[in-house]
Amino acid sequence: MTAYVRAAARAFEMSMKLRAVNPFTNFGWLVFPLIFVVLGLALLGGGGKSAYAILGGGLLGYWGMAYVEGGNEIQNERWSGTLEQIMGCPTPLVVIVVGKLCSSLVFGALSFFPAIAVGYFAFHQSVQNIDPVPFAVSFLVLTFAFFCMAVTLAPLYAMWRWAFSVTNGFEIGVYVLGGFMFPISQLPAWLQVVASVFAPTWAVRALYAATGQPFGRQYALWWAVSIALSCGYLVIGWFLYRLVDVRARATGQLALA
Amino acid sequence: MNTLRIFFRTCWFQYRAMFNWATPIGYLSYKFLQPIGQILFFTELGIFATGRSNALYFALGNALQLTAINGIFGVVMSVGNERQFGTLPILLGSPANRLVTFLGRAFVHVIDGIAGVAVGLALALVMFQIDLSHANLGLLAICVCIISLSTAGLGLMFGSLSLIMRDVFVIANGVYYLLLVFCGINIPVSRLPEWAQLISTGLPLTRGVQATREVVSGAGLAQVSGLLAGELAIGLVYALIGYSMFRWLEHQARRGGLQEAY
Amino acid sequence: MRFMGTSAIQADQLRKTYTTTRGLIRRERKDHIALRGVDLDIQRGELFGLLGPNGAGKTTIVKILTTLLLPTSGVARILGLDVVNQAWAIRKRIGFVFGGERGLYWRLSGLDNLRYFADLYRIPPDVSRRRIGELLETLDLKGREHDKVEGYSRGMKQRLHLARGLLNQPEVLFLDEPTIGLDPVGGRELRGLVRRLSNEGTTVFLTTHYMLEADEICDRIAVIKKGEIVAQGTPSSIKTGAEDQGVVEFEIEGLPAQRIEALRQLPAVATVIVEERELAQVITIHCSRPGELAASLGSLLDGMQVRNVSVREPTLEDAYVLLVSN
Ligand SMILES: Nc1ncnc2c1ncn2[C@@H]1O[C@H](COP(=O)(O)OP(=O)(O)OP(=O)(O)O)[C@@H](O)[C@H]1O
Ligand SMILES: [Mg+2]
C-alpha cells in the first residue's frame, strides 16, 4: 500500500514538473479563463450577474485542466512512447492516473486567480456575498466530482486512440451542461435532464447559491446528489480499469501514436 | 499542368492526413461535437445576458466562427506537422513549386471549413430556429467561402511560424478564442473599447461576419461587396506574410542558419 | 510441449493475429497474422537471441512475453507464470527495453526518469537510491543525470533505457534491438554489459538484426521468418545448417556481362555480386558446395585470368541469408 502511495506521489511530482514547463498547461489555467472572464463580463457585467462571469471563467479553466489535461496525460504518454512502459510495470494504471490528476487539479484550481484578478482590475467587478462555509464545501464537492469524472475517463484514453478527440470535442458542451456560466434552468428541458446526471452540475449549483442565496436544506441535497453521482462514476471506472488491462493488451495499440 | 498536379496531389495528401489524424470517429467528433458545444454555449450565454430575442445574433456568429477551427488549427497542423514528423527538409529539398505546395496545404481546410460552417448553420437552424427567409442563399454561400478563405490565410501565417517556433499551437489556441471576443461574434464590435476596435479591423472574420449578418437580414450584393472585398484582402495579406516567412525560412535553412527548425 | 519448472521462458504454439480496420464509410477489417505458432523454451541464465527480417514478428513476441500484448492463442510462461493471467506477478520480476529513443520523458532529467520508474516498480526508497547510483555508474551516465533527457545523445538515451530496465534487478530481461542506432564502440560496450548480466545469472532475451552481435554473445539463437521459427540452436549449429553453403571470391579482368549472367544461372549459385575495382572486378558468389565451384572456375571462365580465389566458411550471416531468403 505505501508503495502505491509512493508511486502516486511520484507520478504527481513528475506531472507537476512536466506541467510547469508545458505551455499548454499554462495557457489552460492562465490565458484561457482570462479570455472567458472578459467575454463573460462584457456580456454579463452590467446586470449583477458578474459572479457567473468571474467564477465561471475559473470553473472553465478548472474543468478544462481536470478533463482535457487529464486525458492529455495519457495521450502524451502515448506520444512519448511511455504508455507501454507504465502499462508494463507492476503498478496499476489507476494509481498513476490519480497522481497525475492531483497535479492537474492543482493547476486547474489556479484558474480562479487570473479570473478574479481580471475581474477586479480590468472591470472593477468581484464576487460579492460569499457565504464561506457552504462555498468551501461546495468547492470540495465539485473537486471530488471533477476528480471522479477524470479518473473514470482516463482508461478510455488508454484503450482507444480516438477517445481523446471525442471528449476533447465535447469540452465546451460540458460548460453548458455544468451550468458553469449560466444557470441550466434556461436550457431546453431535455438538456436539463442530461445535465442532471452530471455530478459537477449539482456542485456548481451549490457553489453559485453560496454567493447570495441563504444557506438551507437544499445545499445538503445538492451535495449529496453530486457525491452520489461521483461515486457512481467510480463504480463504472472500476470496471473500465479492469477492461483496459485486457483491451489495450489485445489490440496492441499502446505503442501507436 | 504539372503545377496543377502537384496542387491536387498536395490537397489529396492533406485530405488523407486529416482523416487519419484521429481516426474517422475523431474527425466526426470534431466536425459535430465541438460545433454543437460552441454554438450552444455562447448562444445560451447570450440568452442569459441579453434575453432570448438575441439568440440569433450569437448562434449565427458562432456558426460562422467555426470556420476558424479549420482555418487555424487545420492549416497550422498541416504546415506544422511537417516539422514534427521531420519531413520539412524533404519538402524544402524538393523542386516542387513552393507557392503551390504551400497553398495546397490550406486548400483542403478551406473546403472543410465551408463544410464546417454549413454544419454549424444547420445546427443553429435546428437549435435556435435562425430565420434565413430574408437571405439570398447564394450570397450567403459566397460570404461563407470568403470567410473560410480569409481565416485560412491567418492559419497560413501561424503555420509558417510553427516551423520556427515550437509551441505555436498554444498561440493558435489563444487566437482562436480571441477571435470570439474581437470579431463581432459575441460582442458587437461597436461596443468594444477603441483600441480593441482597432485590433478588430486587422483580423479576418470581422468584416465577413458583419456582411453575413447583413445578408441574413436581407441585404444584397451591392450593400456587402465592400465588406467582402475587405475580408478577402485581409486574408490575402496574412497568407502573403505567411508565404514570405516560409520562403525566408527556406532561405535561412539552406544557408544552414536554422538548424533547430528541423 | 511439457513445461518444466526450470525454464525462464516457455512458449507453446503462440499465435497472434492483428485486426486493423480502415475506411470511413465502408469499414474494412483486415486480419494480419504476425505469429503462426511459435515454440520457445529458454532456460534460466541463458542468453537467447531472436533474429529475423523486418516484420517477421520479433517485437510481437517480445510484447507478448512482457505481458503488453495478449496472444490470440497459445500459451506462454515466464518463470512458470502465465503471461495472460499472471501478468502482475511477472511484471515485478522482468525488465524490458525497446530500442530507439522513445519511451523516456524528454523534458525531465535522467535521474527523474529513473526515480519515477523505480517507484512504479515499487522498489523501497533506500534500495532504489543505491540501485540508481550503481546503475548510473555502470552505464556511464554519472555526471549527466541532472540534465534533461532531450539533450542526451542517442547512446545515452539507450543506456538510460537499459538502466530503467534493470532497476528492479529483473530475473528475465527483454531487449528489443538494443543496439539500434549505437556506434560500434557503444554497441560493443552494450554487448559486454549484456554478457556480464547473463553471467551473473539474468536470463536475457534479445532481438537483433545484427548477425555478428548474435554470434558474439548469444548462447542460443532462433531465426524467425514471417511469424514462424525456421531454425533454432547454438550459433554453431545454425551455421552447420548452412554447412555446404559458402562464399567464393576472386578477382578477374573484364568479365563480360553475359558470362556473369551465365554464372548466375548455375544451379548451385545463390547470388553473384560484382564489384568494380580499378583494374579488375571482384566477384563474390554465394553458393552451395563452394569447393566444387572454385575447382571448376577455370573451365567455366575458359582461359580468363582468375586471381586470388578464396573460399570462405559460411558465417552466421550466410546461414541467416539462406534461411530467410527463398
Ligand atoms: N499494432 C499492430 N497492428 C497491426 N499490425 C501490426 C501491429 N504491430 C505489428 N504489426 C504487424 O505484425 C507484423 C510483425 O511485426 P513486428 O513488429 O513484430 O515485426 P519485427 O520482427 O519486430 O520487425 P522489425 O524488425 O521491423 O522491428 C508486421 O507485419 C507488422 O506490420
Ligand atoms: Mg521490431
Side-chain angles (χ1 to χ4, degrees), chain C residues 58-60 176-177 207 209:
Chain C
K58 302 182 293 298
T59 302
T60 304
D176 193 10
E177 299 184 30
T207 78
H209 287 292

Side-chain angles (χ1 to χ4, degrees), chain A residues 2 24 48 93 135 155 161 168 172 174 196 211 217 235 245-246 255:
Chain A
T2 50
F24 267 105
L93 182 65
F135 189 86
R161 281 184 292 163
N168 203 358
I172 300 189
V174 171
S196 67
T211 64
R217 268 249 183 77
V235 173
D245 201 53
V246 179

Side-chain angles (χ1 to χ4, degrees), chain C residues 239-252:
Chain C
K239 275 184 256 183
T240 40
E243 197 147 55
D244 58 349
Q245 280 292 307
V247 182
V248 180
E249 278 178 334
F250 57 88
E251 285 180 28
I252 194 165

Side-chain angles (χ1 to χ4, degrees), chain A residues 141-163:
Chain A
V141 172
L142 177 68
T143 302
F144 182 65
F146 280 179
F147 175 83
C148 293
M149 281 201 83
V151 166
T152 304
L153 288 170
L156 299 181
Y157 305 132
M159 264 188 288
W160 295 295
R161 281 184 292 163
W162 50 262

Side-chain angles (χ1 to χ4, degrees), chain B residues 31 35 39 59 62-64 66 115-125 127 130:
Chain B
K31 207 76 243 168
I39 294 173
N62 283 287
L64 293 172
L66 290 173
V117 175
V119 169
L121 284 174
L123 289 172
L125 210 64
M127 291 191 293
I130 290 190

